[in-house]
Amino acid sequence: MANVQADGQWYPPEWPERIRALASGALTPVVPKRAATVMLLKDTAGGPVVHMLRRRTSMAFAGGAYAYPGGGVDPRDDERHIRWAGPTRAWWADRLGVDETGAQAIVCAAVRETYEEAGVLLAGPTAETVVGDTTGDDWEADRAALVAREVSFAEFLDRRGLVLRSDLLGAWTRWITPEFEPRRYDTWFFVAALPEGQRTRNASTEADRTVWIAPREAAAAYDKGELLMMPPTIATLRQLTPYATAAEALGAAPARDLTPVLATARLEDGEIVLSWPGHDEFTKHIPTGGAPA
C-alpha cells in the first residue's frame, strides 16, 4: 500500500530501502522505457479544464493517483511510414531531443494513448481536418484492437486513411522516473485541446474515474490531501494555472524547456535527501531507518 503525505503526494513504502540500496551500489538502475502523456484541455466560462483519470487502487504502480492519459511507446511506430501533418519529424526530433524515428514513435504514443484511454483522436482525413465523434461501434472495435496491440497505430491510421495531426500537440515537459524505481519511464508530457465534435469517455481499463477539472482547483485539492498525485502530475498542473485558454497554453509550449527532470538522492547528516531539480516542494528527508518526511 502506498503512503500519502499530508498533501496529496504519492510515494511507495519501499522507496527508503531502494534509495539506500542505490546509494550503496547494491541496486542497478533499470533502463527507463519511452512514454508519452497528454494534458487534454478544453475551454469553459471559468477558464480551461484538464482531463484527468484516477488509476484503480488495485494498480501496482500509483494506485488511486490522478494522472493524464498516457503510456509506453510502441516500437512498431518507430519505422513505418505515417501520413503526417504539422511540424516535420526532424523538427520534432530536435524538440524532443531524440532521433527522427524516436520522435515519430513518441508523438504516435501521445496520440494513440489519448485515443485508447480517453476516446479522443488527434487525426483527420486531411492535414487540415480532425475526425468528429469517435464513439460508434466501429471506432470502439478499432480502439480495442489498439489496446490489445493487435494492430499498431500506424496500421490503424493507414486503414482508416487518416493523417496524424502533430500540429495539435505541444511538447510541455519531460520527466524521468527516479533511478531507484523498479518501473522506470522517460516520459514526454504534451498539451492538446479537445477537438470540436469529440468528447472524452473513460475508456481505460486502468482507471475507475475521469474528471474535467480546472488546474488550479486540482492543485488546491492536492494541497489539502484530497487528490493523490505523483510529482510530475501536480507540477504540470501548477504550470497550467496561468493560462486563460487552451490556445494560450498550446502557444506557450514551444518555448518550454524540455531538459529532463530526474530525482536525485544524496546522503546528508544521517538522512537521505530526495529532491527533484527545479521542484523544491517535492524534497523529502528520509531518516536512515524511516519514511519520507
Side-chain angles (χ1 to χ4, degrees):
M1 179 67 182
N3 295 313
V4 187
Q5 295 297 113
D7 54 23
Q9 187 177 339
W10 174 92
Y11 73 88
E14 65 272 15
W15 269 14
E17 181 181 344
R18 294 187 65 86
I19 291 169
R20 286 190 287 271
L22 180 68
S24 70
L27 178 67
T28 301
V30 174
V31 175
K33 297 178 179 178
R34 296 173 302 167
T37 191
V38 177
M39 300 179 287
L40 191 63
L41 303 171
K42 72 175 179 180
D43 291 324
T44 71
V49 289
V50 63
H51 181 71
M52 303 189 76
L53 50 85
R54 183 175 66 185
R55 294 173 60 82
R56 294 185 184 277
T57 54
S58 58
M59 296 294 292
F61 181 73
Y66 280 77
Y68 314 111
V73 164
D74 184 344
R76 293 177 295 179
D77 292 332
D78 277 59
E79 300 289 349
R80 180 162 173 162
H81 177 73
I82 291 172
R83 294 171 69 197
W84 186 278
T88 64
R89 292 166 180 80
W91 184 94
W92 278 108
D94 182 65
R95 180 74 182 113
L96 301 178
V98 296
D99 60 21
E100 288 190 34
T101 55
Q104 173 175 294
I106 292 162
V107 171
C108 278
V111 177
R112 173 178 48 77
E113 289 287 341
T114 305
Y115 182 50
E116 287 184 10
E117 298 197 337
V120 170
L121 183 59
L122 304 176
T126 70
E128 294 81 31
T129 58
V130 186
V131 296
D133 186 5
T134 61
T135 57
D137 289 344
D138 58 333
W139 284 105
E140 182 56 28
D142 279 350
R143 193 195 66 78
L146 283 168
V147 172
R149 297 296 182 262
E150 293 168 1
V151 298
S152 70
F153 193 60
E155 291 166 338
F156 160 74
L157 292 174
D158 189 50
R159 192 169 70 216
R160 282 197 170 262
L162 295 174
V163 181
L164 184 146
R165 292 287 306 276
S166 82
D167 55 318
L168 300 181
L169 287 169
W172 192 260
T173 191
R174 179 182 177 185
W175 286 64
I176 301 177
T177 311
E179 291 184 331
F180 48 81
E181 282 273 38
R183 290 189 180 98
R184 299 189 65 212
Y185 297 95
D186 185 353
T187 305
W188 284 262
F189 286 69
F190 295 85
V191 288
L194 178 69
E196 189 174 347
Q198 294 194 40
R199 59 185 188 271
T200 56
R201 62 189 190 279
N202 183 8
S204 172
T205 57
E206 298 180 355
D208 60 12
R209 183 181 184 223
T210 62
V211 294
W212 282 102
I213 189 168
R216 193 178 306 278
E217 181 185 338
Y222 165 91
D223 290 336
K224 296 174 186 173
E226 296 170 357
L227 293 187
L228 185 63
M229 299 178 205
M230 292 180 287
T233 311
I234 180 59
T236 48
L237 277 171
R238 296 202 200 285
Q239 291 161 359
L240 288 173
T241 56
Y243 301 101
T245 65
E248 271 190 27
L250 276 164
R256 288 192 52 83
D257 182 7
L258 290 188
T259 302
V261 179
L262 173 64
T264 60
R266 67 184 187 276
L267 288 168
E268 188 176 287
D269 298 328
E271 291 183 323
I272 298 167
V273 180
L274 175 62
S275 60
W276 280 259
H279 299 272
D280 291 343
E281 72 167 297
F282 305 127
T283 300
K284 299 295 172 197
H285 295 266
I286 305 170
T288 48

